[in-house]
Amino acid sequence: MAENKECSSASSCSKESCEGCPSRNGGAPQSFLEELNPFSSVKKVIGIVSGKGGVGKSFVTASLAAAMRKQGYEVGVLDADITGPSIPKMFGVHGPAEGNDMGLFPVQSNDGIKIMSLNLLVDDEESPVVWRGPVIASTVKQFWHDVCWGDLDYLFVDMPPGTGDVPLTVFQSLPVDGIVIVTSPQELVQLIVKKAINMAGMMKVPVLGIVENFSFLKCPDCGKEIKVFGESHLEEAAAELKLPILGRMPLEPEYAKLADEGEFHKVENPYLEEAVKKIGEV
């Protein structure tokens, strides 16, 4: 009798505050989506993901943001790489970011891209961020619901490498419309990329395609393409995963120079035309 009473009590539980309880939302799956800042309108959210560090994920994020801005779209970049932010440096923007009752305002680059990063909130841009995972994940959520983004056509989210707390938080908390996977020619990287793609599949987030960085170095004298990191295996990986190739980017000293000078908005990157086209179709 006691057991039946316990079961009856559980089935009639109506405490909506119980996180994860099947009784929430009438038994429907619980949504972890965060509310967008009430003074903001973001049409599409695009995540830029890599399975490991050092493949130029932030470089691809900045390139796509600049390219879409050149096409006349209203663009923002949410720098979710909390412990290794590089987007502000590339676009030459500095804090402190300002705010009022409406929320925190992103800092705009010279070409009008709205940027929010932890580097725009700290007193010393060179101070390390020594935070645990839950605090970092909470900061990413705040960049979504506390920042007054205004009207954006595209918000690019520059995620940290791997499949840890922050990518999970972004996939669960933001209405991600698709992700771009960034890789490099090494075979080891291809293996790790599959982990990121599999994670996206588990979270039911669409993968738009793959961009390969560091594909080649063009000789300044003869124009020959030198495969610094060996032959690419991108075609095999893309075919296996049934994903389109959205671009191959070279090692380009001029791009690195503009990034170091904080003038990345001047970059003209023809190597990502397919990626820009794909994002425009989202």
Side-chain angles (χ1 to χ4, degrees):
M1 291 294 291
E3 184 177 350
N4 291 337
K5 184 177 180 181
E6 182 180 347
C7 292
S8 174
S9 174
S11 62
S12 61
C13 176
S14 60
K15 293 182 179 180
E16 296 182 357
S17 61
C18 295
E19 297 264 348
C21 177
S23 297
R24 285 176 65 93
N25 304 324
Q30 181 183 351
S31 173
F32 292 95
L33 287 177
E34 292 285 325
E35 289 188 8
L36 178 63
N37 177 276
F39 301 99
S40 304
S41 172
V42 178
K43 293 180 181 177
K44 300 295 177 183
V45 178
I46 308 295
I48 312 300
V49 179
S50 66
K52 67 180 293 297
V55 297
K57 170 186 48 59
S58 296
F59 182 86
V60 172
T61 302
S63 297
L64 291 174
M68 298 305 287
R69 180 59 183 157
K70 284 182 172 66
Q71 292 200 0
Y73 293 106
E74 293 296 327
V75 176
V77 177
L78 189 161
D79 190 355
D81 195 352
I82 302 298
T83 59
S86 56
I87 294 293
K89 167 71 175 175
M90 296 173 73
F91 284 99
V93 298
H94 303 278
E98 300 178 351
N100 57 23
D101 292 340
M102 296 172 62
L104 196 62
F105 293 102
V107 179
Q108 292 197 38
S109 66
N110 287 335
D111 59 342
I113 295 175
K114 297 179 179 179
I115 299 170
M116 178 48 65
S117 170
L118 190 67
N119 259 21
L120 302 176
L121 301 175
V122 296
D123 293 330
D124 183 2
E125 294 180 353
E126 297 181 356
S127 295
V129 178
V130 188
W131 292 352
R132 294 191 182 275
V135 179
I136 295 174
S138 176
T139 302
V140 173
K141 292 180 184 179
Q142 287 182 289
F143 283 173
W144 176 250
H145 62 66
D146 288 352
V147 173
C148 185
W149 290 102
D151 294 327
L152 293 182
D153 295 305
Y154 292 96
L155 177 66
F156 291 92
V157 182
D158 183 24
M159 287 199 258
T163 55
D165 283 346
V166 172
L168 179 61
T169 297
V170 171
F171 288 161
Q172 287 186 326
S173 305
L174 275 61
V176 180
D177 295 283
I179 63 172
V180 174
I181 303 285
V182 182
T183 182
S184 62
Q186 298 102 313
E187 213 167 337
L188 173 62
V189 176
Q190 303 292 348
L191 174 65
I192 298 173
V193 161
K194 292 176 184 177
K195 295 181 183 291
I197 293 175
N198 290 335
M199 180 183 184
M202 292 170 59
M203 305 303 297
K204 294 180 171 45
V205 175
V207 180
L208 303 181
I210 308 175
V211 170
E212 184 180 77
N213 200 14
F214 311 139
S215 294
F216 58 89
L217 173 66
K218 186 171 288 188
C219 176
D221 296 323
C222 67
K224 179 182 177 181
E225 294 184 0
I226 304 169
K227 306 296 177 62
V228 179
F229 294 104
E231 291 297 326
S232 172
H233 300 275
L234 187 59
E235 283 84 0
E236 296 94 322
E240 178 186 347
L241 298 165
K242 296 181 175 59
L243 291 173
I245 298 172
L246 300 181
R248 283 186 171 91
M249 303 216 316
L251 284 160
E252 176 53 68
E254 181 61 24
Y255 293 169
K257 178 175 178 291
L258 290 173
D260 288 340
E261 294 174 350
E263 297 186 334
F264 202 80
H265 62 281
K266 295 181 179 179
V267 165
E268 296 290 342
N269 192 338
Y271 303 100
L272 290 176
E273 288 182 356
E274 284 300 317
V276 170
K277 180 181 177 182
K278 185 73 174 181
I279 291 171
E281 295 171 352
V282 171

